[in-house]
Each structure stands twice: as structure tokens, then as C-alpha cells.
Amino acid sequence: AYEEAFRNLYEKSFPSEERIPYEELVQMYDYLKTDFNAFYEGETFIGIVLAFRFEKCNFLAYFSVVEELRGKGYGTRILRDFLEKYKNDHPVVLGIESPDQEDAQNLEMRKRRKAFYERNGMRDTKVYSINGGIKYTIMSSSNEPFTNQDKDEVFATYLGAREKIKMSKKEF
């Protein structure tokens, strides 16, 4: 039930162009330290967090609350629990669609999302990434610098793992 609930929310919450195919996501576990988290309140499934653990940070790649439970404080509780889990480890880092991209159709949502993360202890690193014409703001749970070089190292490791998965599927 855990895996099915995780997969359903993952696939429902993120557009296909923003998510790794689920089968590949599971395989990432073989190439990267991957932390799958499903959150429950009693028997009620409330949300997911998926993070990749790198040498310098824990990259929160996917975070979602069940749609009908949004706006009820669950996201705040999940994020705070997740940050608490890693408080004595490397910082938690994440990328959000940047509210600095003024021509974005979802600009208000981007602003609300950034404010949510800031209210919950994340800070804007002033490091950005562009993927598919979308600008992403990189945020961190630490006051320590997170540089473009750090971002590049994280993404190179991540892309290397994705490439290994693709190569493992090819027959020679």
C-alpha cells in the first residue's frame, strides 16, 4: 500500500516533463542514496518527500501533499519533520520554479511556494538553474553558502546516475 500510495501521488502531482519515470526513480536507489518518505497521520496517507543524498547536501527533489489535504498545515508539518530528520546531516537543498521569472504563467503560485519554504526555514541561495526554459531558484536549509559549483556537482552526479540507468537498459 505504501509504494502504491507513493507512486499514485508522485505521478498525479508532477507533470511528466518534470518527473523521472517511476520505474527509473526506483532504480535510482541502485546508483544514488535515495530517501523515499511517505507520511501518514494515523492510517491516513498525507504526502511524500523524495530526496537524493549527495556529498554536500540532501536534495529534496519531490514533495507533495494529497490534494484534498492541502492548505491544512500538513505540508508545513511534513517539511519540518523532514528538515528535523537531516538537521545534523548535510543541508537540505531544493529547487523551485523561480518567482523571478516574470513571464511565468504561474507567477503567483511560484511566489506563494517560495514564501512557504521561507516560512519553514529555507533560504534563497541566489543560485539558479534553467531547465526546459524554466528558471529554478535553489533554496537551502543552511546559512552556509551553496554555490553554482555545488549545484553543478550535484546535477552532474544526478545526471550520471540517470545515464547509468539508461545504459543498463540497453542490450549490447
Side-chain angles (χ1 to χ4, degrees):
Y2 160 87
E3 185 177 346
E4 184 179 338
F6 187 102
R7 181 178 185 160
N8 288 340
L9 183 57
Y10 171 73
E11 290 179 345
K12 187 177 182 182
S13 298
F14 304 99
S16 59
E17 64 273 8
E18 290 184 16
R19 67 178 145 82
I20 302 169
Y22 189 77
E23 293 73 21
E24 218 174 282
L25 189 66
V26 172
Q27 286 182 293
M28 289 292 272
Y29 203 78
D30 295 334
Y31 300 97
L32 280 178
K33 292 179 182 172
T34 306
D35 190 6
F36 290 85
N37 297 270
F39 291 85
Y40 289 82
E41 183 170 74
E43 297 292 314
T44 304
F45 173 67
I46 58 173
I48 61 170
V49 172
L50 181 130
F52 298 116
R53 303 188 66 197
F54 295 98
E55 195 173 306
K56 293 185 177 181
C57 70
N58 297 296
F59 191 83
L60 194 163
Y62 299 101
F63 171 35
S64 185
V65 173
V66 172
E67 190 170 3
E68 50 273 9
L69 299 176
R70 293 178 189 161
K72 298 182 176 169
Y74 289 111
T76 296
R77 288 178 28 207
I78 290 171
L79 183 59
R80 287 185 180 163
D81 285 352
F82 187 76
L83 293 173
E84 179 69 20
K85 177 179 180 177
Y86 287 108
K87 76 176 184 183
N88 295 319
D89 194 32
H90 300 300
V92 172
V93 172
L94 58 90
I96 60 167
E97 291 177 317
S98 182
D100 300 335
Q101 189 174 3
E102 294 292 331
D103 62 343
Q105 292 182 357
N106 63 343
L107 190 58
E108 284 308 310
M109 178 184 280
R110 290 174 180 211
K111 289 177 181 177
R112 284 194 314 272
R113 190 172 287 138
K114 184 177 184 194
F116 166 79
Y117 284 113
E118 288 174 334
R119 278 193 315 274
N120 287 289
M122 303 295 289
R123 69 167 186 84
D124 186 339
T125 64
K126 305 298 183 200
V127 172
Y128 302 93
S129 173
I130 296 178
N131 186 3
I134 298 172
K135 182 178 181 181
Y136 292 88
T137 296
I138 308 299
M139 301 186 78
S140 175
S141 64
S142 170
N143 288 323
E144 296 297 314
F146 187 82
T147 65
N148 273 305
Q149 181 178 344
D150 294 331
K151 174 197 70 168
D152 292 345
E153 288 172 10
V154 165
F155 287 146
T157 304
Y158 165 79
L159 292 172
R162 297 270 325 259
E163 189 59 32
K164 287 176 185 174
I165 290 168
K166 288 179 180 150
M167 293 300 290
S168 72
K169 292 178 181 178
K170 292 183 179 177
E171 293 184 34
F172 293 94

